[in-house]
Amino acid sequence: MPAEIAAGASSGRVPGGEGGPEVPEVPVPGLSVLGLSVLGVRHHGPGSARAVRDELDRIRPDLVLVEGPPEADGLVALAADPGMRPPVALLAYVPGEPPRAAFWPFAEFSPEWQAISYAARAGVEARFCDLPAAHGLALDADPVRRDPIGELARAAGYDDPERWWEDMVEHRGEAGTLDVVAEAMRAVREGHVAEGVEARREAYMRRTLRKAAREGFARIAVVCGAWHLPALAPLALSLSGGRARGPGPDAPDGPGRLPSAAEDERLLRGLPKVRVEMTWVPWTHGRLAAGAGYGAGVAAPGWYEHLFTAPDRPVERWLARAAAILREEDLPVSSAHVIEAVRLAEGLAALRGRPLAGLSEVTEAVRAVLCGGDELPVELVQRRMVVGERLGRVPDATPMVPLRRDLREEQRRLRMKPEALAGEHDLDLRRPLDLGRSRLLHRLALLDVPWGTPRRARSKGTFKESWSLEWRPELDVALIEAAVWGITVEAAATARVRDLAGGAGLPELAALVERCLLAHLPDALPHVLGRIEDRAALDGEVRHLMGALPALVRARRYGDVRGTEGLAGVTESMLARICAGLSPALTGLDEDAAREMAALMDGVHTAAGLMGSGRWLTTLAGIARRDDLPGLLDGRIVRILFDAEALEDDVAARMARSMSPGSPPARSAAWMEGFLSGGGLLLVHDPRLLATVDVWLTGLSPEAFVDVLPLLRRTFGAFPAPERRMIGRRVRSGAALGSSEPGGDVGADWDDGLAAGAVRTVREILGRETGGRP
């Protein structure tokens, strides 16, 4: 890196032309303005933003040209609206193909935003001068991405580009900031020849400059990335009557050559084009850090915003804010801590030869002094301050698709303010306001606009819901994509449900009914129910019916809360068909099919319990008499019947029979897995069952034990750790197993006197008489 860059002594403004070798003049007849200034900046650079703001106040241009899509020229005036608050972004999308979209983000510390704000404040015209989005979205090739800041940092011996930027630009004051950035980019771009999309972008920028000069503006300012400065500066000098670097228009192609207007027109001729629409959308600091849009993402947008808004004593103000955040979390941070943290940050900067403490120094001071070395509060400061999640706002006058405007009205009506930082919300569906919020979130989910993510509710009642809400900029694109379904959220969700129901199977239709009820879409529900009746009448596959029933039964639970009609007729009919076809469906199943069927049986069992039907248990009791079932299903059915007190014979006898020496060890292990999938506490409280398992396990041959070990590990590994410890203690104690043989007198060592008090209390709770021996 040249020494003059580090010294900050170079020329980055045009006109001026100092600092470069004398070259022949390149006159452009008929094109001349009194002053044309090209301000090369770093996107999202606070130092560049301050310098642009001051330079525009100094030169007072009649026209401001900003790097960006010219289709957005009609949206520039909205920047002066009081309802506009950065970070925001320009969004270009192709109607009918919303995924084909592009963003141009702006933060308060973005030089381009400061240029737009100046134009609005001064009452002068502002335009965008980059390649139109209509061409950019139509071109297949992506522009070549380079990191010039990283290249300069490595050339200067820095391993952190942001630290180099702070030392060379942010911490050296505003004077010469544009010059330093411009000269640095010239050094990086030396010998580079623009090609492809990059060449077309710069050709279009030059076309825009020539057009603005012909329109007669006396003073024009161009604000663009400093990377493009070498491609625009020679033309700016020509239009201003100055000197341009490089050979004349007829010279051979080369890196320093100024292309003629005809050459630029040839390069831009015949470009593919699509129809695009533009709008403003809210943005977040987190998305700036992701490097979206300009491809110049900054790792610490919150820190850069702080440098822009607090140029005086930034270290002291930053650490004072960090202390305030930690105090909000009830952490003991005093003024003395802040003073010591400032001293440490400044001392570290002096040791490292930095002109001012940067982000790394203040972060180390926060960690060592304010947080006492604890990383958790440091992460809190990082999240809230360094990234500084903030969601921008756009005014009501912003062009929006009707669906987006309806959503905004719903958000206001339901008092649901979009926030960039994820927040947890508990809804009580007995309250009309919370019920409306729940319906809105479920409707958006149906439209693939996941503003809210369901969480496990703290209450087990059906009238409670918990959500995590986080608004992300890409949801605006999702809304545009969903706009094809309707102009209101309810109408769009209804149309979307009807479309999904067209090609869905029974399980998908059942889940759709549940979602339809949660979203309260009465116009869509009859259509989905009709589809279910049609599919159920034609679908003879029992597994499909079993997969569909649980969702339909769950949907019935919300009838009293959400004001929906019951589904009793549909669910009773489906359960009857399941019971009739279950026994044949359990024949000839391999291990994977048996495992899938066990999961379906568990779902139907839960659903039948909610329905209050005894038909299901009667069906299982008849199937339990069979001796040709897979071990997993046999054990699962026995456990279901045992828990429901509907098992015809003794459970210990059934277990002993399944684990007899005549039964293959693999089938016995599968039986045990099915039987114990409901939990391991049964073995803790019933010593006979534990004794049966222990006798079977200890009687296996070494070869058989190795074969069944994976199944046993899967079975017992699913138990909670306390249950595993309790089973292990009982096995080790020996006495807890009672007799070593099944059927032994396991209650011989009970003390009836000690147990009498507990038994009496239980009988009182159950409403039974307490007289007599328990």
Side-chain angles (χ1 to χ4, degrees):
M1 182 180 66
E4 60 267 28
I5 297 178
S10 59
S11 176
R13 299 186 187 87
V14 179
E18 301 89 344
E22 291 295 327
V23 294
E25 294 186 3
V26 184
V28 183
L31 298 181
S32 180
V33 293
L34 296 178
L36 197 158
S37 301
V38 181
L39 309 181
V41 301
R42 183 195 183 191
H43 300 303
H44 314 312
S48 293
R50 285 194 300 269
V52 164
R53 180 186 59 191
D54 296 343
E55 187 69 8
L56 293 177
D57 286 334
R58 186 186 68 82
I59 64 179
R60 297 186 178 277
D62 303 313
L63 174 66
V64 178
L65 298 177
V66 180
E67 182 182 336
E71 293 96 337
D73 287 349
L75 302 175
V76 173
L78 290 174
D81 193 297
M84 180 76 81
R85 186 187 70 182
V88 293
L90 286 170
L91 166 62
Y93 63 94
V94 180
E97 299 180 71
R100 297 180 66 181
F103 294 97
W104 288 261
F106 301 91
E108 186 178 2
F109 52 87
S110 299
E112 297 85 357
W113 180 258
Q114 290 301 316
I116 294 172
S117 299
Y118 166 83
R121 186 172 63 252
V124 301
E125 186 175 357
R127 303 175 186 171
F128 291 99
C129 61
D130 204 348
L131 186 70
H135 298 310
L137 292 176
L139 292 170
D140 294 332
D142 293 327
V144 177
R145 298 290 187 181
R146 289 186 61 178
D147 181 15
I149 299 297
E151 293 179 26
L152 288 166
R154 287 190 293 271
Y158 283 73
D159 57 359
D160 184 358
E162 300 300 326
R163 183 177 173 186
W164 177 87
W165 174 260
E166 288 184 357
D167 287 353
M168 294 297 105
V169 179
E170 301 298 338
H171 295 166
R172 291 187 179 273
E174 299 172 13
T177 296
L178 296 175
D179 296 337
V180 172
V181 176
E183 188 64 24
M185 292 303 169
R186 284 197 186 98
V188 175
R189 186 159 171 164
E190 184 176 355
H192 173 77
V193 178
E195 297 177 345
V197 175
E198 180 187 7
R200 294 183 174 94
R201 291 180 61 196
E202 293 175 346
Y204 195 91
M205 292 181 188
R206 289 190 292 267
R207 173 200 278 182
T208 306
L209 264 65
R210 294 186 182 102
K211 180 176 180 293
R214 284 194 296 267
E215 292 178 6
F217 290 99
R219 293 180 299 275
I220 301 174
V222 182
V223 178
C224 65
W227 177 258
H228 304 295
L229 186 63
L232 304 181
L235 176 61
L237 285 172
S238 300
L239 298 178
S240 302
R243 295 176 178 272
R245 296 188 180 186
D250 298 327
D253 293 339
R257 183 175 178 275
L258 171 64
S260 66
E263 289 173 318
D264 284 341
E265 291 301 323
R266 282 197 298 270
L267 189 61
L268 295 172
R269 188 177 302 131
L271 289 180
K273 187 177 182 179
V274 294
R275 187 172 71 89
V276 301
E277 293 187 9
M278 298 285 306
T279 187
W280 287 105
V281 296
W283 206 248
T284 66
H285 278 173
R287 298 294 290 177
L288 286 173
Y294 287 111
V298 293
W303 171 250
Y304 275 6
E305 182 188 43
H306 175 75
L307 292 179
F308 180 76
T309 57
D312 61 314
R313 307 183 72 84
V315 175
E316 291 85 345
R317 294 178 185 273
W318 178 268
L319 292 172
R321 284 179 54 200
I325 288 176
L326 295 174
R327 290 193 197 105
E328 291 175 1
E329 301 297 324
D330 296 328
L331 296 175
V333 181
S334 66
S335 300
H337 286 90
V338 177
I339 295 171
E340 187 61 31
V342 171
R343 290 175 178 171
L344 176 57
E346 292 177 345
L348 289 173
L351 286 173
R352 295 167 180 173
R354 306 193 67 182
L356 189 69
L359 179 59
S360 59
E361 285 75 27
V362 296
T363 300
E364 291 179 37
V366 167
R367 178 182 293 107
V369 181
L370 302 187
C371 302
D374 190 352
E375 285 297 327
L376 273 179
V378 175
E379 292 177 4
L380 175 67
V381 173
Q382 292 282 112
R383 185 173 65 253
R384 293 193 184 178
M385 292 182 63
V386 177
V387 175
E389 279 295 351
R390 174 185 295 179
L391 180 65
R393 185 177 65 233
V394 298
D396 293 338
T398 304
M400 300 179 186
V401 294
L403 181 62
R404 181 68 177 89
R405 194 169 296 279
D406 179 71
L407 174 59
R408 174 171 287 200
E409 294 301 321
E410 287 292 292
Q411 290 169 335
R412 290 174 176 171
R413 182 179 67 85
L414 299 171
R415 300 198 289 274
M416 300 177 70
K417 183 179 178 181
E419 298 286 352
L421 197 62
E424 298 179 3
H425 299 266
D426 294 326
L427 303 181
D428 186 340
L429 303 183
R430 296 169 297 185
R431 300 172 52 197
L433 182 63
D434 282 354
L435 182 58
R437 292 169 174 171
S438 170
R439 289 171 174 173
L440 176 62
L441 294 173
H442 283 291
R443 289 170 182 175
L444 291 175
L446 281 167
L447 294 172
D448 295 325
V449 184
W451 179 19
T453 302
R455 301 173 56 254
R456 184 182 296 275
R458 296 183 177 90
S459 171
K460 294 185 179 297
T462 59
F463 54 85
K464 289 286 189 179
E465 280 185 354
S466 292
W467 294 82
S468 176
L469 302 186
E470 179 184 8
W471 188 265
R472 302 183 302 278
E474 54 266 29
L475 296 182
D476 283 283
V477 178
L479 279 170
I480 293 171
E481 188 171 4
V484 299
W485 301 109
I487 62 174
T488 67
V489 176
E490 181 178 1
T494 298
R496 176 64 169 155
V497 166
R498 295 174 66 91
D499 180 75
L500 291 173
L506 266 179
E508 293 81 10
L509 285 170
L512 197 58
V513 166
E514 188 175 17
R515 299 180 68 186
C516 190
L517 292 173
L518 294 172
H520 186 61
L521 300 174
D523 292 337
L525 184 59
H527 177 77
V528 180
L529 291 179
R531 290 288 301 165
I532 287 178
E533 292 180 358
D534 294 342
R535 292 300 297 266
L538 299 175
D539 196 336
E541 180 60 56
V542 173
R543 291 178 301 171
H544 294 170
L545 298 173
M546 296 176 70
L549 183 65
L552 292 176
V553 173
R554 285 195 303 269
R556 290 178 56 183
R557 301 174 63 193
Y558 296 99
D560 56 341
V561 176
R562 300 180 183 273
T564 56
E565 296 182 359
L567 301 170
V570 176
T571 54
E572 290 291 348
S573 173
M574 291 181 65
L575 181 60
R577 296 185 60 189
I578 291 171
C579 291
L582 180 61
S583 184
L586 302 182
T587 302
L589 300 179
D590 58 17
E591 181 180 354
D592 292 337
R595 198 170 301 280
E596 179 185 356
M597 180 59 73
L600 293 174
M601 288 172 54
D602 285 341
V604 174
H605 178 63
T606 302
L610 293 174
M611 294 170 61
S613 173
R615 178 182 298 174
W616 171 250
L617 292 177
T618 302
T619 301
L620 291 183
I623 294 175
R625 301 187 187 100
R626 292 174 48 178
D627 56 4
D628 61 340
L629 293 175
L632 180 72
L633 294 180
D634 191 12
R636 190 73 200 110
I637 291 174
V638 170
R639 177 61 182 272
I640 291 174
L641 294 173
F642 174 74
D643 289 342
E645 299 182 355
L647 190 63
E648 296 179 353
D649 50 0
D650 183 68
V651 65
R654 289 294 298 262
M655 177 179 283
R657 194 160 56 246
S658 298
M659 296 183 177
S660 63
S663 178
R667 187 188 186 283
S668 299
W671 191 96
M672 191 187 336
E673 180 183 359
F675 182 79
L676 296 179
S677 61
L681 284 177
L682 189 62
L683 296 180
V684 176
H685 298 300
D686 194 328
R688 294 182 303 165
L689 298 181
L690 184 57
T692 302
V693 174
D694 183 63
V695 170
W696 169 75
L697 190 59
T698 55
L700 291 175
S701 66
E703 296 79 9
F705 179 81
V706 171
D707 290 340
V708 303
L709 184 59
L711 292 175
L712 296 174
R713 289 180 61 87
R714 181 167 58 191
T715 300
F716 285 88
F719 298 161
E723 292 184 11
R724 295 200 301 269
R725 286 195 297 268
M726 294 172 68
I727 293 173
R729 282 198 297 266
R730 289 189 175 274
V731 171
R732 285 194 302 268
S733 66
L737 297 177
S739 172
S740 61
E741 296 294 335
D745 188 3
V746 298
D749 58 345
W750 287 1
D751 189 324
D752 291 342
L754 292 176
V759 172
R760 189 182 304 110
T761 301
V762 172
R763 287 182 175 274
E764 291 178 358
I765 293 174
L766 296 176
R768 300 179 182 178
E769 297 181 359
T770 58
R773 183 180 183 275

